[in-house]
Amino acid sequence: MKNWGTEFMNKDIAEVLITEEQIRQRVKELGEQISREYAGKEVVLLCHLKMDFMSISSYGDAQKTSGIVRINKDMDSSITGKHVIIAEDIMDSGLTLSYLTRLLSERQPASLRVCALLDKPERRECEITPDYCGFTIPNKFVVGYGLDYKGYYRNLPYVGVLDPKVYEQQ
Ligand code: IMP
Ligand code: MG
């Protein structure tokens, strides 16, 4: 059986793109910026996954977007008249977020913004940019800090490029 411990997973990482320390620093900066800009306001933070969670996916297989977005679970609370920030891991083709922002706009929030830890602008297929972005990265498939490949590598504390041999072998 394959050993999925962190030590084993490190071997599948071609390059560490963003270190644990860089992520900690940037997340702190973004948190401070958002706290300043929303001072005195009540904010609904919507994660794709309470705070409140919504689960949506656009991936046909683990790597290539199918372009079809599916809502697995909708929010429990109303966002009408609320300030909403969607917290996203990574913006890639942008199809998921463009669909989600259109859907949520119809519910008439007071404001709606997107905060993405990572942005891969080279892959964009529609006109959307995150209002808050942690890091702009090149067009490479990355894992770690919550990002997965087939459910694995999420627990790596940094963001790294997955060695293509991992998905090419399959
Ligand atoms: P989009 O609709 O193409 O922007 O897809 C965004 C979603 O695809 C993200 O929320 C991730 O779940 C997934 N995704 C896109 N690029 C990567 C990557 O490099 N690593 C892991 N997941 C990714
Ligand atoms: Mg996501």
Side-chain angles (χ1 to χ4, degrees):
M1 199 177 119
K2 208 167 178 179
N3 171 5
W4 288 105
T6 309
E7 204 179 305
F8 180 84
M9 289 186 189
N10 285 334
K11 296 199 180 87
D12 291 342
I13 302 302
E15 173 197 355
V16 175
L17 216 51
I18 311 166
T19 65
E20 193 174 354
E21 182 49 35
Q22 286 173 306
I23 297 172
R24 192 178 304 120
Q25 179 58 31
R26 187 70 187 118
V27 167
K28 187 167 173 282
E29 285 169 7
L30 281 175
E32 288 168 352
Q33 186 188 349
I34 292 170
S35 300
R36 268 196 312 275
E37 292 182 12
Y38 287 85
K41 291 180 179 153
E42 197 186 327
V43 178
V44 176
L45 189 62
L46 171 64
C47 305
H48 285 197
L49 271 184
K50 245 168 162 176
M51 304 178 260
D52 204 342
F53 289 106
M54 203 162 158
S55 168
I56 90 171
S57 55
S58 75
Y59 264 34
D61 57 36
Q63 261 205 293
K64 262 227 208 103
T65 185
S66 63
I68 298 163
V69 180
R70 188 180 63 209
I71 297 186
N72 305 316
K73 181 207 170 292
D74 202 342
M75 298 179 69
D76 294 326
S77 52
S78 163
I79 56 162
T80 306
K82 302 269 178 66
H83 295 283
V84 179
I85 302 174
I86 302 173
E88 179 61 304
D89 49 5
I90 181 167
M91 203 186 264
D92 189 40
S93 72
L95 291 168
T96 310
L97 275 175
S98 133
Y99 173 87
L100 188 59
T101 49
R102 243 182 299 131
L103 177 90
L104 296 181
S105 299
E106 285 168 19
R107 301 180 187 177
Q108 301 180 318
S111 67
L112 179 60
R113 288 184 178 167
V114 174
C115 176
L117 177 69
L118 306 173
D119 186 16
K120 264 194 231 176
E122 285 170 55
R123 299 254 305 170
R124 203 70 91 247
E125 290 177 31
C126 47
E127 259 182 61
I128 185 166
T129 45
D131 300 286
Y132 303 99
C133 169
F135 302 89
T136 300
I137 62 164
N139 181 13
K140 292 180 173 172
F141 192 81
V142 293
V143 290
Y145 203 75
L147 289 148
D148 72 300
Y149 172 67
K150 295 193 169 176
Y152 296 106
Y153 307 100
R154 270 189 211 289
N155 52 327
L156 290 173
Y158 53 82
V159 171
V161 177
L162 186 63
D163 193 326
K165 76 171 189 295
V166 175
Y167 42 86
E168 278 162 9
Q169 275 166 3
Q170 298 185 359

